[in-house]
Amino acid sequence: MGIQNTVSSAIKKRGITVAELARRVDMEPELLRRSLAGTRKLTGIELVNLCHELDLEIEDFPTE
C-alpha cells in the first residue's frame, strides 16, 4: 500500500470528499485527484499538510 492508498483510505475513513480535503489544505482539487491517482507526485509540504489534516503519522505509511 503506497502513499496514495494510505491517504485515500484516510479520506474514506473520515467521510470527506477529495474536494473538501483539498480546500482544507489549500490545494487545487484537481491536483489532489491527480496525486491520488498517481499521475502527479505530491510535494513534501503537500504531504505534510495532508498528514496534519488527516491525523496521519509516519508509521501509517508503508516502508517499502
Side-chain angles (χ1 to χ4, degrees), residues 41-52:
K41 290 186 179 183
L42 288 167
T43 67
I45 193 67
E46 289 169 343
L47 183 57
V48 167
N49 290 341
L50 290 169
C51 288
H52 178 73

Side-chain angles (χ1 to χ4, degrees), residues 10-54:
I11 293 169
K12 288 177 188 171
K13 284 181 185 175
R14 281 151 187 80
I16 61 174
T17 65
V18 171
E20 174 62 19
L21 178 59
R23 185 192 64 74
R24 291 181 187 184
V25 297
D26 194 30
M27 188 175 180
E28 291 294 322
E30 184 57 26
L31 293 180
L32 181 53
R33 282 187 195 94
R34 288 177 36 214
S35 297
L36 295 176
T39 60
R40 176 188 179 272
K41 290 186 179 183
L42 288 167
T43 67
I45 193 67
E46 289 169 343
L47 183 57
V48 167
N49 290 341
L50 290 169
C51 288
H52 178 73
E53 187 63 38
L54 295 170

